Amino acid sequence: MSLARVPEPAVWFPTIRAGSGTDVFTERLCAGLRARGIRAEITWLPLRAEYAPWTVPVPKPPHWANVVHINSWLHPRFVPKNLPTVVTVHHSVHDPAFIPYKTTPQKLYHRFWIRLIEARTIRHATVVTAVSRHVAAQVKKIFGRADVAVVYNGIDLDHTFTPGPEREPHKPFRLLYVGNWVKRKGVDLLGPILETLGSDFELLYTADRAGAHTLYRLPPNCRCIGRLDPSGLAQAYRNADALLFPSRSEGLPLTAIEAMACGLPVIASTIPALVEVVEPGVSGSLCPIDQTDAFVKAIQRLRSELHVWREMRLTSRERSRNRFSLQIHIASYLKTYHQTLSTG
């Protein structure tokens, strides 16, 4: 069937409100589709729909919808059987590299609940997308689905995540951490890194979706700035000198992409998803997982070699525009929806 004979997509997003980056993904994509004249709507389900789906009524798809787009964790109970489905995999929690950083309940939950749900949604999907090449490779390895399309996350580079005016770095040099307070994100490393850096450096950090930010001891040069809306978050990026992101496992981190769009060098871990985002020595530095000394040295270099810091501010912005713009993201999904309708 040719694209000319395929109807325009009308997309329904039945989505669990998790207070995470997947919520942001869905909201931005839905808004971007509407801005292009594509009918799109989100039906939010409560968080318990993830772990106790039988307690949540099944919403009816809108009569106008011809494509369903879901997160791979959505229980099949909520997925209509009579509409073509796009399934997006945001993170491979079954990656062996992630296992050491899980609690025992997480290991059991992922192995005996989430893995079973993902196996069904991925197997029955018309089209499967992944947010990075790394996640796509994990889907192939774990679930045997080879025809996975990689669609990078996109952000608004024109109105929200924009760089501030040219300036010198702050004194003390200002680092920013944005993310949830879970061990997978490397938050237990923030304290040792800032303690070693000392009073010439400071860390501003956000609270997570549960308001938590005190699970690990932090030295006096660290300060919480709370939970921020997109506008406040963009301003926090612009007011910082570098993003500190020692995460141990990611699908594709919006945080790093947003920071780069605002002109921040990113100091992060050498994990596959971040290798796809940060170009070492160009838009930031990648450090071996858990090696606090490497993070300290990378941060100290930015402060002492200001020409490197200035150059990274420029190249970070350019890399975001070339690879992670919301317009590229939406265009890729429109192509995916047309493919779904032609094969579904």
Side-chain angles (χ1 to χ4, degrees), residues 79-342:
V79 185
K81 305 296 187 292
N82 60 340
L83 289 172
T85 304
V86 174
V87 172
T88 295
V89 186
H90 292 273
H91 185 210
S92 179
V93 296
H94 317 295
D95 185 346
F98 183 17
I99 292 174
Y101 308 107
K102 295 182 185 182
T103 63
T104 297
Q106 283 178 319
K107 291 176 183 177
L108 295 172
Y109 184 63
H110 291 161
R111 176 65 184 87
F112 295 106
W113 184 246
I114 295 301
R115 185 163 178 158
L116 299 179
I117 290 172
E118 287 195 293
R120 289 178 64 183
T121 59
I122 289 169
R123 181 171 63 250
H124 295 297
T126 312
V127 175
V128 177
T129 65
V131 297
S132 67
R133 295 193 302 271
H134 171 64
V135 172
Q138 290 294 314
V139 172
K140 180 179 179 180
K141 179 180 178 181
I142 294 167
F143 299 106
R145 181 103 186 209
D147 59 335
V148 180
V150 175
V151 181
Y152 285 131
N153 292 330
I155 61 173
D156 181 358
L157 291 158
D158 298 316
H159 302 100
T160 305
F161 297 102
T162 58
E166 290 302 312
R167 58 172 175 81
E168 294 300 294
H170 294 85
K171 294 182 180 180
F173 191 88
R174 183 174 295 169
L175 301 165
L176 177 68
Y177 169 78
V178 174
N180 288 323
W181 280 75
V182 293
K183 193 171 184 181
R184 172 176 70 84
K185 294 285 189 179
V187 290
D188 54 308
L189 304 176
L190 298 176
I193 291 171
L194 268 296
E195 200 158 35
T196 303
L197 286 169
S199 60
D200 287 338
F201 298 82
E202 65 177 355
L203 174 71
L204 306 186
Y205 58 92
T206 60
D208 72 9
R209 58 178 176 258
H213 60 84
T214 56
L215 299 177
Y216 301 94
R217 189 184 71 82
L218 295 172
N221 56 342
C222 299
R223 176 164 55 92
C224 181
I225 55 176
R227 185 113 171 122
L228 304 175
D229 62 17
S231 175
L233 184 57
Q235 190 59 42
Y237 289 132
R238 286 190 285 269
N239 287 338
D241 299 320
L243 180 77
L244 176 55
F245 197 67
S247 182
R248 297 167 170 122
S249 180
E250 294 287 333
L252 193 78
L254 282 172
T255 295
I257 296 168
E258 291 167 351
M260 288 166 54
C262 294
L264 281 192
V266 175
I267 312 297
S269 303
T270 305
I271 57 175
L274 279 160
V275 169
E276 294 183 50
V277 175
V278 180
E279 188 175 359
V282 177
S283 54
S285 297
L286 295 178
C287 307
I289 296 174
D290 292 342
Q291 292 193 17
T292 56
D293 287 348
F295 281 94
V296 168
K297 289 177 181 177
I299 294 164
Q300 288 174 331
R301 184 191 178 209
L302 280 184
R303 180 178 176 274
S304 61
E305 300 180 26
L306 292 185
H307 66 283
V308 174
W309 177 77
R310 293 189 187 100
E311 185 63 28
M312 284 185 177
R313 279 171 58 83
L314 294 174
T315 53
S316 292
R317 169 69 175 171
E318 193 61 28
R319 186 169 174 82
S320 281
R321 181 167 292 280
N322 291 340
R323 303 191 71 184
F324 304 112
S325 83
L326 187 59
Q327 297 310 312
I328 294 173
H329 175 76
I330 294 167
S332 296
Y333 268 112
L334 279 174
K335 182 177 179 181
T336 298
Y337 297 143
H338 279 114
Q339 176 190 349
T340 303
L341 289 167
S342 68

Side-chain angles (χ1 to χ4, degrees), residues 62-78:
H63 66 87
W64 47 261
N66 58 15
V67 175
V68 179
H69 190 163
I70 66 168
N71 178 344
S72 62
W73 284 30
L74 186 69
H75 193 278
R77 165 183 171 84
F78 303 110

